[in-house]
Amino acid sequence: MTRDRCEAQPGFVFVPGGEFIAGSDQTERDYGYAISAQAIADSPAEIAAAAQRLRDRRWFELEGDRRRESLAAFCLQTHLVTQQDYAEFVTATAHRSPGITAEEYQTQGFLVHPYADVVPYLWREGQFPEGLGEHPVVLVSYDDALAYAQWRGEQDGGVYRLPTAAEWEKTARTDDGRCFPWGNEWQDDATHWAQSAPYGTSAIARYPSSRSAYGAEDMAGNVFEYTSTLRNRQEVTVAVMKGCSWDDLPGFCRAAYEHTRPVNSRHILFGFRLVLTATEN
């Protein structure tokens, strides 16, 4: 994908090829634990205890060692796919609307949020919840995202896919290994996280500081994003997710952090964006 072709496609940004710094070292992970603890505790003793609890859970120990990787240039969607975007797909194809039943939610597990928090995001009669058109679509699975990508290509002649975890990480931190899209120091007002309003998703592109140097919006906060990078965990196929969500602590919003969930997961914290790999012209 050339820069000219990418920049000719509305809603996409060009990310040049070359090396970038991926992963994290122990210094960065310790920083992640520290800023997360500072967000939930007050006194020095409480902060130290909270940081140790996070370390004991090894939240940041699966990120991969800090290293240099090389990628070819690619063309990434500027914004997360929104509820309105996805509604056009559902209307055209009769694909399953975003949602999950209470029983499915219980079976799925990872119940940090009660089902009552899910209800406001359930679609009714093929319509997304009122007022959320410009919010990222959630309650979609990995396969739903792939189906959307295929449908979009049928509409405009493009070839679309999910970004790899490495592509997503490079976009968020550029080639200099910064922790966040805006730099190396956490900023409370830079993105939509656990201590910012509203409770739940926010409209896309509301946090200029979370725009990457390449121009991609919401590269920290709001929702986790599916990537095309898959792994096998205890005979279950899981997708690597990047980005952190609206209920996460600061350390999780570092570009190096990664999260994995089964590919059939549907949750109010999970959304996606696409990569354009080819056009008909």
Side-chain angles (χ1 to χ4, degrees):
M1 173 61 62
T2 66
R3 180 184 293 273
D4 287 347
R5 282 194 174 184
C6 180
E7 293 179 347
Q9 185 78 357
F12 283 76
V13 296
F14 182 76
V15 181
E19 286 193 345
F20 76 106
I21 297 173
S24 62
D25 55 21
Q26 196 58 54
T27 298
E28 181 181 334
R29 294 170 199 162
D30 287 344
Y31 177 65
Y33 292 127
I35 58 177
S36 297
Q38 290 162 11
I40 58 176
D42 295 317
S43 72
E46 291 171 335
I47 291 171
Q52 188 58 55
R53 288 195 299 272
L54 290 170
R55 286 191 187 92
D56 290 343
R57 299 183 71 176
R58 297 179 56 80
W59 279 117
F60 307 142
E61 302 307 315
L62 300 178
E63 294 172 358
D65 292 336
R66 190 173 175 91
R67 63 200 181 275
R68 299 201 71 86
E69 290 192 14
S70 184
L71 291 174
F74 57 97
C75 186
L76 184 72
Q77 193 167 11
T78 307
H79 303 297
L80 288 149
V81 174
T82 66
Q83 301 271 14
Q84 179 61 59
D85 295 332
Y86 202 81
E88 296 172 10
F89 161 60
V90 170
T91 299
T93 64
H95 190 86
R96 170 180 170 156
S97 296
I100 189 169
T101 68
E103 181 179 5
E104 289 170 334
Y105 190 65
Q106 291 292 327
T107 301
Q108 178 172 265
F110 46 92
L111 304 176
V112 175
H113 296 269
Y115 189 70
D117 285 354
V118 177
V119 171
Y121 293 92
L122 299 176
W123 287 35
R124 310 289 184 186
E125 298 180 352
Q127 300 295 315
F128 57 80
E130 184 176 0
L132 298 187
E134 290 302 305
H135 288 227
V137 68
V138 294
L139 295 175
V140 292
S141 70
Y142 178 89
D143 285 342
D144 291 331
L146 297 184
Y148 174 85
Q150 181 176 344
W151 170 80
R152 175 159 180 169
E154 292 168 353
Q155 308 314 299
D156 65 11
V159 178
Y160 298 94
R161 60 170 173 81
L162 292 171
T164 67
E167 288 171 337
W168 195 100
E169 186 171 342
K170 177 175 182 177
T171 305
R173 68 195 311 186
T174 69
D175 59 358
D176 60 11
R178 64 187 66 178
C179 291
F180 308 102
W182 56 85
N184 286 317
E185 299 297 322
W186 172 253
Q187 300 175 19
D188 284 351
D189 61 353
T191 192
H192 187 38
W193 65 292
Q195 294 181 12
S196 57
Y199 182 81
T201 59
S202 62
I204 59 172
R206 291 298 185 268
Y207 292 85
S209 293
S210 69
R211 180 187 306 129
S212 84
Y214 301 116
E217 303 281 356
D218 294 305
M219 296 302 291
N222 211 350
V223 292
F224 277 108
E225 301 182 35
Y226 282 108
T227 74
S228 63
T229 301
L230 302 179
R231 295 185 181 145
N232 188 279
R233 294 276 168 84
Q234 298 177 334
E235 299 185 355
V236 174
T237 301
V238 297
V240 173
M241 310 189 81
K242 300 289 282 186
C244 95
S245 70
W246 52 265
D247 77 339
D248 278 310
L249 296 174
F252 296 85
C253 294
R254 294 173 302 108
Y257 179 68
E258 62 181 47
H259 190 49
T260 58
R261 286 300 183 204
V263 292
N264 60 354
S265 300
R266 291 185 170 88
H267 204 282
I268 55 177
L269 305 182
F270 303 166
F272 71 99
R273 75 180 78 209
L274 302 176
V275 164
L276 173 68
T277 62
T279 63
E280 61 183 1
N281 297 321

